[in-house]
Amino acid sequence: MLGLLRTTLALMVVTFHLLIELSPLGTYSVFGFYLISGYLMTLIMHDNYGYTGSGRLAFAANRLLRLYPSYWLAALGSAALIIGIGPATVLRYHDSLFLPQSLKDYLSNASMLFPAWLPNSVDPRLVPPAWALTVELFFYVAIGLGISKHPRRIKVWLLLSVAYVIGTYLLEAPLRQRYAPIAAGSLPFAVGSALYFLAKEPRVYQLYVRSRLRARHLFMALLANCLLWTVLTVTHPGLYLEIGFYLNIGICALLVYSLAKGDKIATIPAAADKVIGDFAYPVYLWHWQAGLAVSYLLYGEAFHELSGRGAIVFLTTLLVVAVLSLMTIYLVDIPIQRLRTKIRAMNRPAGRDMPRRLR
């Protein structure tokens, strides 16, 4: 049931970027994605690939096949828009959207590796939110190498992650130091990885059952938390709002645990949840470009704002990004999935049945 959750998070990112930039929706959603990835990557390393040399290679190959072809298509779409609409107009729309100028720019945009303490400070980015994929790739490598192989490793990882967060507060660092660096992404990834082992503990499950919390309740709590802190951010811009940021991690952790134990957010078939989840990644990749094209075609200028015309652009963009996502799924994801399935089948741990597709 992670598909519905992932696509909801992706749509929250779209809302943050294209409509309500004062909202914390974007930061909350990115950390939700990190937490889900920590859980899923630990799960598939243990249950699908194993920690042999061939298993690690298969894991790496499938991660690359999952991320890069769709990303490259979206990056080419950005380049086409920059050339077609004009660099100056596009740059006013988003200050990271311009064509690479140097070999380093080309390599960063081709590899999704934006080498800086704050990856979101590196320009140009043909796919603006791809800086978060730099963080994802780092922890994919760490998980593949075994950082979440044993519970005791995760305990050390969690302690170091918490120590980093505490250190930023002691140094009076701003929120961006707890959000954008790779070190900041360590906490949600570690929490997600820990959920893999917690989901196997009967005593933890008994506590969960006694709490009477269910996935649908936690999903509503997640949305309510985002809405509450959005309202507070808009109405009280100077208010200290990081409480909601960490509440979001806790709620996401409980929700992912609930889904891992077989609960459901809504009574929809697993196949439908998978289809919904397939939209999450292309929506994340394409929404800036779709908003650019829609605003320019409707109003003759490229913009994103909280206004009447901004709402029209936003709603139209949702339709356009759905079409672009569907095209990406059918032209890229589905053909490549056949190859990914073969790689998984050849490298699954001995004695285990063929696993179902997770992402």
Side-chain angles (χ1 to χ4, degrees):
M1 204 65 185
L2 286 168
L4 178 58
L5 174 58
R6 290 171 53 237
T7 298
T8 299
L9 293 175
L11 291 173
M12 288 164 60
V13 171
V14 178
T15 304
F16 167 67
H17 284 156
L18 300 185
L19 192 63
I20 315 176
E21 287 190 289
L22 287 175
S23 167
L25 287 173
T27 55
Y28 288 14
S29 301
V30 168
F31 267 47
F33 277 126
Y34 290 165
L35 194 147
I36 292 170
S37 290
Y39 169 71
L40 283 179
M41 297 305 102
T42 299
L43 171 66
I44 63 176
M45 277 303 301
H46 280 270
D47 294 1
N48 291 19
Y49 297 104
Y51 290 91
T52 63
S54 62
R56 287 186 169 102
L57 286 174
F59 170 75
N62 266 345
R63 287 299 89 203
L64 296 178
L65 288 170
R66 175 71 182 95
L67 294 179
Y68 279 94
S70 297
Y71 165 78
W72 287 330
L73 181 62
L76 288 173
S78 295
L81 286 171
I82 293 168
I83 294 170
I85 295 176
T89 300
V90 176
L91 193 59
R92 286 193 295 271
Y93 173 76
H94 195 294
D95 58 10
S96 295
L97 268 174
F98 57 94
L99 295 176
Q101 306 295 309
S102 66
L103 178 60
K104 179 183 176 182
D105 292 345
Y106 280 102
L107 292 175
S108 293
N109 279 275
S111 66
M112 285 194 296
L113 298 176
F114 299 97
W117 177 254
L118 299 173
N120 63 350
S121 68
V122 178
D123 297 324
R125 299 191 309 276
L126 289 173
V127 180
W131 69 267
L133 299 175
T134 297
V135 180
E136 292 257 356
L137 287 167
F138 178 88
F139 287 105
Y140 288 176
V141 172
I143 290 171
L145 292 175
I147 195 173
S148 60
K149 187 176 181 181
H150 302 294
R152 61 181 178 273
R153 294 186 184 181
I154 296 178
K155 289 177 183 177
V156 175
W157 183 12
L158 274 169
L159 286 173
L160 292 173
S161 302
V162 171
Y164 172 80
V165 173
I166 293 173
T168 63
Y169 280 110
L170 292 175
L171 295 172
E172 299 182 353
L175 174 60
R176 66 176 179 271
Q177 296 295 339
R178 289 178 286 281
Y179 171 62
I182 289 173
S186 182
L187 179 61
F189 263 95
V191 171
S193 294
L195 291 176
Y196 170 77
F197 291 100
L198 290 174
K200 295 178 177 294
E201 291 288 338
R203 288 177 295 181
V204 175
Y205 184 62
Q206 289 169 7
L207 289 172
Y208 169 74
V209 171
R210 285 200 293 268
S211 74
R212 297 190 178 182
L213 288 172
R214 293 298 177 265
R216 62 183 182 275
H217 305 144
L218 293 164
F219 183 72
M220 294 305 296
L222 178 71
L223 297 180
N225 184 60
C226 292
L227 177 61
L228 169 64
W229 295 102
T230 294
V231 171
L232 288 174
T233 303
V234 172
T235 57
H236 300 80
L239 193 64
Y240 187 78
L241 299 175
E242 291 191 40
I243 294 173
F245 183 66
Y246 292 103
L247 276 176
N248 177 70
I249 296 176
I251 295 169
C252 279
L254 288 171
L255 179 52
V256 171
Y257 175 85
S258 177
L259 296 174
K261 297 305 293 183
D263 202 358
K264 293 183 177 182
I265 295 171
T267 54
I268 59 175
D273 181 70
K274 174 193 169 300
V275 171
I276 293 170
D278 286 343
F279 280 82
Y281 186 49
V283 165
Y284 186 79
L285 294 176
W286 279 108
H287 66 275
W288 275 115
Q289 301 92 316
L292 168 63
V294 168
S295 60
Y296 188 76
L297 289 173
L298 289 182
Y299 293 98
E301 59 177 306
F303 66 91
H304 48 93
E305 61 188 29
L306 182 58
S307 65
R309 67 174 192 165
I312 292 172
V313 168
F314 172 73
L315 293 173
T316 308
T317 296
L318 291 180
L319 296 176
V320 173
V321 82
V323 172
L324 290 170
S325 298
L326 196 61
M327 291 172 58
T328 302
I329 290 167
Y330 277 94
L331 296 176
V332 179
D333 290 349
I334 290 177
I336 289 178
Q337 176 58 30
R338 299 188 187 101
L339 176 58
R340 295 180 64 226
T341 300
K342 290 179 182 178
I343 293 173
R344 254 200 316 270
M346 291 187 295
N347 292 278
R348 68 183 185 273
R352 292 180 183 161
D353 294 332
M354 181 64 172
R356 60 183 174 85
R357 181 182 175 223
L358 293 169
R359 285 187 74 183

